[in-house]
Amino acid sequence: MLGGLQTVFAREIRMWQRFDVVSSIETWDGTAVIGRHRFVLADGTTAALILTTAGVYDRGERRFV
């Protein structure tokens, strides 16, 4: 379950322009995982950076695990 995100757009990505998305888990805090997702252009420039907060919810136990 995604809890929130913060986005920074640094460069334009034009229509049909190729880019890579590089994702990593930065850290965790209790039951929340902080992820980082970079949109990287062919020349190595970062076009956007997104930080997400997410967790896994157990419906049966009605809690985050």
Side-chain angles (χ1 to χ4, degrees):
M1 178 180 288
L2 188 62
L5 59 94
Q6 292 181 340
T7 306
V8 175
F9 297 101
R11 302 277 185 268
E12 178 183 18
I13 299 176
R14 296 183 183 269
M15 183 72 99
W16 310 117
Q17 183 178 4
R18 291 185 177 268
F19 60 90
D20 291 321
V21 178
V22 180
S23 297
S24 62
I25 295 175
E26 293 299 300
T27 189
W28 60 90
D29 179 23
T31 58
V33 176
I34 309 299
R36 182 172 79 161
H37 315 280
R38 289 178 48 224
F39 287 63
V40 182
L41 303 176
D43 66 356
T45 305
T46 298
L49 179 63
I50 302 172
L51 294 175
T52 58
T53 304
V56 177
Y57 188 73
D58 182 346
R59 284 183 154 179
E61 295 292 321
R62 299 180 64 108
R63 65 182 182 93
F64 284 93
V65 293

